[in-house]
Amino acid sequence: MRIEPSERVRGLVAWARRHRRLLIVLVLLSLFFSVLGYFTNPVSLPGMCKIYG
């Protein structure tokens, strides 16, 4: 059984409409932490290279 691309798009749009508040909250949280990281001083810890490669 194959799903047409247009049906997938409609399903994705319907899912996004149902979860609109969640998506807005996630975008706002992402923006908040991005702005917070932009204006704070970078910190390097001794074990950071082991954690982040």
Side-chain angles (χ1 to χ4, degrees), residues 5-52:
S6 61
E7 290 180 25
R8 285 186 187 191
V9 171
R10 271 191 255 136
L12 187 62
V13 169
W15 182 88
R17 284 184 179 156
R18 284 193 310 268
H19 296 89
R20 187 181 313 178
R21 277 194 191 138
L22 174 67
L23 293 173
I24 290 171
V25 167
L26 289 176
V27 167
L28 289 176
L29 275 173
S30 175
L31 284 172
F32 171 75
F33 284 111
S34 295
V35 169
L36 185 68
Y38 182 78
F39 288 110
T40 57
N41 292 330
V43 176
S44 61
L45 300 173
M48 190 174 275
C49 59
K50 293 178 184 175
I51 296 170
Y52 295 107

